[in-house]
Amino acid sequence: NAGVTQTPKFQVLKTGQSMTLQCAQDMNHEYMSWYRQDPGMGLRLIHYSVGAGITDQGEVPNGYNVSRSTTEDFPLRLLSAAPSQTSVYFCASSLPGTGNTEAFFGQGTRLTVV
Amino acid sequence: DQQVKQNSPSLSVQEGRISILNCDYTNSMFDYFLWYKKYPAEGPTFLISISSIKDKNEDGRFTVFLNKSAKHLSLHIVPSQPGDSAVYFCASTSGGYQKVTFGIGTKLQVIP
């Protein structure tokens, strides 16, 4: 059971570089989300999608773009990396629900911007 | 302004005893509350949830209590086991899963 797969696991970027964090799920979940985890801040929602072709902003969307062309994939793009984007990024997926449906998380991508 | 607060950054408990993790929230619109457990270098995993229309939900060794008037919930683990050592996140939702707000987490250490 693959579940939610994130690649890469680790990445170092220079300021101004761009990259895409990949996220794929094989559970046919409609909902997918991206979070970042920073010390003392918990997990904060960056962007989310309720289905293919539909995305919306979360709490901290600035500096990130997303698209959802298929149910399985939800990539997160950093257009011009900044040191403030150094963080651990988690992708999650879930079935639609009224809030009580559990989210399945990937193992995370640790990103360092120098 | 943190809407979900976990004021204890860490907690140490002896194996076999009860672990109590606390969470306070400020948004009265939250309608579901969830607890996630996270081991180092792994993603969070769902543990247990409770609807705002209930005051208790139990699943094996894990029980979550909700006090709506105090805007407070707690997670009880009885008995605590060394494998329970992890960071526990409290989370709340309103209007569907996509609007999840997480606390900063409490690191639980269960001492053998």
Side-chain angles (χ1 to χ4, degrees):
Chain A
N1 292 343
V4 178
T5 303
Q6 289 183 236
T7 55
K9 287 188 169 54
F10 302 94
Q11 183 70 49
V12 179
L13 286 179
K14 293 183 179 179
T15 297
Q17 285 185 316
S18 63
M19 81 160 294
T20 300
L21 308 186
Q22 301 291 343
C23 176
Q25 53 95 5
D26 61 0
M27 297 172 283
N28 203 31
H29 286 170
E30 293 185 38
Y31 286 2
M32 295 187 74
S33 307
W34 276 101
Y35 293 86
R36 58 178 290 174
Q37 183 189 11
D38 302 293
M41 302 291 288
L43 288 97
R44 292 181 293 169
L45 182 64
I46 304 171
H47 284 285
Y48 65 94
S49 169
V50 300
I54 306 169
T55 63
D56 206 346
Q57 297 181 350
E59 182 185 355
V60 287
N62 292 341
Y64 308 95
N65 278 354
V66 292
S67 61
R68 183 96 179 270
S69 56
T70 67
T71 299
E72 294 78 20
D73 300 299
F74 191 42
L76 179 72
R77 297 184 190 85
L78 284 72
L79 299 179
S80 178
S84 61
Q85 294 179 304
T86 294
S87 187
V88 181
Y89 291 84
F90 290 100
C91 178
S93 74
S94 73
L95 292 168
T98 55
N100 63 329
T101 56
E102 63 176 286
F104 294 82
F105 284 81
Q107 289 196 317
T109 296
R110 184 174 292 274
L111 175 68
T112 302
V113 182
V114 298
Chain B
D1 179 30
Q2 279 191 326
Q3 297 188 62
V4 177
K5 300 178 183 178
Q6 294 179 259
N7 293 320
S8 298
S10 63
L11 175 68
S12 289
V13 172
Q14 289 287 335
E15 180 179 3
R17 305 293 292 268
I18 184 172
S19 295
I20 300 176
L21 295 93
N22 294 303
C23 178
D24 297 297
Y25 62 96
T26 58
N27 188 342
S28 57
M29 297 299 291
F30 286 145
D31 49 15
Y32 274 100
F33 304 89
L34 309 95
W35 286 93
Y36 285 84
K37 179 170 71 174
K38 185 184 180 301
Y39 294 118
E42 294 185 9
T45 55
F46 171 77
L47 193 57
I48 191 169
S49 66
I50 187 168
S51 162
S52 60
I53 63 173
K54 295 186 176 181
D55 54 18
K56 176 183 175 182
N57 189 26
E58 191 172 356
D59 184 1
R61 295 186 297 113
F62 303 92
T63 303
V64 57
F65 296 92
L66 175 62
N67 182 335
K68 287 188 294 293
S69 61
K71 293 191 175 67
H72 177 84
L73 65 155
S74 60
L75 174 68
H76 293 211
I77 306 173
V78 183
S80 300
Q81 299 174 353
D84 296 329
S85 297
V87 176
Y88 289 79
F89 289 99
C90 173
S92 305
T93 71
S94 64
Y97 166 72
Q98 59 269 30
K99 299 292 187 185
V100 182
T101 303
F102 283 84
I104 66 172
T106 296
K107 185 175 184 179
L108 173 66
Q109 181 184 22
V110 180
I111 303 165

